[in-house]
Amino acid sequence: MDIRRRPLKSSRTARFSAASGVHSGTKASDALPLPLYLTNAVFFTLFFSVAYFLLHRWRDKILNSTPLHVLTLSELAAVCSLIASFIYLLGFFGIDFVQSFISRNELEASEVRGSIVLREEYPDRADIRCSDFSMDRPAIKPLCSVEDEDIVKSVVSGETPSYSLESKLGDCFKAAQIRREALQRLTSRSLDGLPLEGFDYDSILGQCCEMPVGYVQIPVGIAGPLLLNECEYSVPMATTEGCLVASTNRGCKAIYASGGATCVLLRDGMTRAPVLRFPSSKRAAELKFFLEDPLNFDSLSVVFNKSSRFARLLRIQCAIAGKNLYIRFSCSTGDAMGMNMVSKGVQNVLDFLQNDFPDMDVIGISGNFCSDKKPAAVNWIEGRGKSVVCESVIKGDVVAKVLKTTVPALVELNMLKNLTGSAIAGALGGFNAHAANIVSAVFIATGQDPAQNIESSHCITMMEAVNNGDDLHVSVTMPSIEVGTVGGGTQLASQSACLNLLGVKGASHEAPGANSRLLATIVAGAVLAGELSLMSAIAAGQLVKSHMKYNRSSKDIAKIGS
Ligand code: ADP
């Protein structure tokens, strides 16, 4: 049984069809022998001409003292025509006039009553939800109860702040539902298509996203198996870019057929750099020397490491600009990406230093020497998060059969594009073909911070002919991959499932940090595969062709749109 409400008619045509009893699904003109404007003209003419005729007749009767109720056949026909045309014109124009008196509030109230009636009509249908009611004005949707409706109205009026809904209602789903409804009414824009149900809003409260109104769906594809350090991984990639997963998959195939890739972790340290101001450059320099003195490192580490059982201070680097001091603290953070952890450690050290340097003014816990979510040479040169290098020797026949190109073509293209071309462009960490593509897709699938794609995608891709020029040595060196397997978005159900697929879900109990380090090597391995495949496509001149095939849908967009 169709429990959806029929849409209210809004156009004149629709109103006419309702008034004249024409089925709502057909256009009025479809049900009439003449086009609508001609029908209107006919009835208008009929109405005024018979009215004129009758008035004349009645005036003659009054003059001749003939009783008015005595009608001739022509007068009877005229009266019938007058009534018929009056009904028609009332049906067409009258409803518009009446509706203009119905206020918006009354409409909303009637919708609430309607939804309650529906609940009463279908008591056995517990699955009836607010979203089941569709109207042609998406900005006004009924909610499930009068109380809900009242809350929506108070959010719309500004009486209840939208951000307070979770704490006020104690129900995260309901809060998102009400906020969404209020938003639609305030903006008069529909959010149809943005799903609301099917998501655990409790899991993001106070951690991942404030003021939710739904969630965006991104498809997840699988590239692999990626044979890396003698283990196989199926790499989840969340993307809407056609070709990307297929291309990375082809790279994985080439690596697999050549015996796999090897990845080595070079360094692991998350950074945070506060900015401190002193009365003089001399005082700033004094703290710099104090912090860089190896004799002070142990005591500073003890203070720093109190922030977490996983935080371990590794290095302190200082830079001075006038009387301002920037201190770049680097620490290992276990399986967490570590921004929170390192920030807490830095705060501990600053509190400690305040005793000996009371004239130090902490301008900001982050002074951009860190450097988080911005392209910066410091990350490219010094590293941030996990620094890794990943390599593979791709056999010549695999280059020919799987990658459909040649070793010299790849080596030449890499030199002219990834090295020389990027140098000419003044690239910062961008000596690669599309590392960011793979990094972003894996980051989104596994719950990493997508904004850290900026420094995490720093990568130099090298290609060299080896074994007398028969085979290809390919490597990616990535100094700042910032990943974690605990905290942030990693604990959400879908992201957690993707981490589980890679065998790196949550904290490593055997060796804290092992999961996040392994994830960094997998990211690099996937980047290696992506670089190989895209570079081969460009070398073979296939790039445009394959994108036209996979990235440009052959579906009729006009039809989808309609
Ligand atoms: P981040 O610092 O990346 O923002 P969070 O602070 O959100 O991460 O998450 C780290 C939290 O997880 C800390 O409270 C930490 O104590 C806890 N934790 C549990 N196991 C581990 C582990 N193996 N490595 C790092 N943190 C862990």
Side-chain angles (χ1 to χ4, degrees), residues 427-447:
L428 174 55
F431 300 91
N432 58 79
H434 69 150
N437 253 338
I438 290 90
V439 171
S440 304
V442 178
F443 267 36
I444 293 170
T446 58

Side-chain angles (χ1 to χ4, degrees), residues 308-310 333-341 486-488 507-508 512-513:
S308 162
R309 63 201 154 111
F310 301 100
T333 56
D335 287 309
M337 178 274 287
M339 283 307 304
N340 286 329
M341 212 178 272
V486 297
S508 165

Side-chain angles (χ1 to χ4, degrees), residues 228-282:
L228 184 70
N229 294 341
E230 294 172 10
C231 294
E232 290 183 16
Y233 302 97
S234 297
V235 185
M237 300 174 71
T239 182
T240 52
E241 182 180 338
C243 259
L244 183 59
V245 182
S247 175
T248 312
N249 194 52
R250 179 172 80 146
C252 290
K253 190 175 166 188
I255 293 170
Y256 198 100
S258 304
T262 306
C263 191
V264 181
L265 186 115
L266 306 168
R267 197 165 30 195
D268 180 11
M270 181 42 70
T271 63
R272 180 55 96 200
V275 50
L276 316 177
R277 187 166 55 200
F278 286 87
S280 65
S281 303
K282 183 171 171 286

Side-chain angles (χ1 to χ4, degrees), residues 377-400:
V378 72
N379 295 333
W380 174 233
I381 297 165
E382 300 290 342
R384 188 169 199 252
K386 277 79 175 152
S387 305
V388 298
V389 58
C390 184
E391 67 181 341
S392 181
V393 176
I394 309 297
K395 293 186 181 122
D397 63 323
V398 175
V399 171

Side-chain angles (χ1 to χ4, degrees), residues 287-308:
L287 179 54
K288 173 179 155 67
F289 296 139
F290 175 84
L291 293 170
E292 287 178 349
D293 187 340
L295 295 176
N296 295 326
F297 187 80
D298 283 350
S299 53
L300 289 169
S301 311
V302 170
V303 175
F304 186 100
N305 296 348
K306 278 186 200 155
S307 65
S308 162

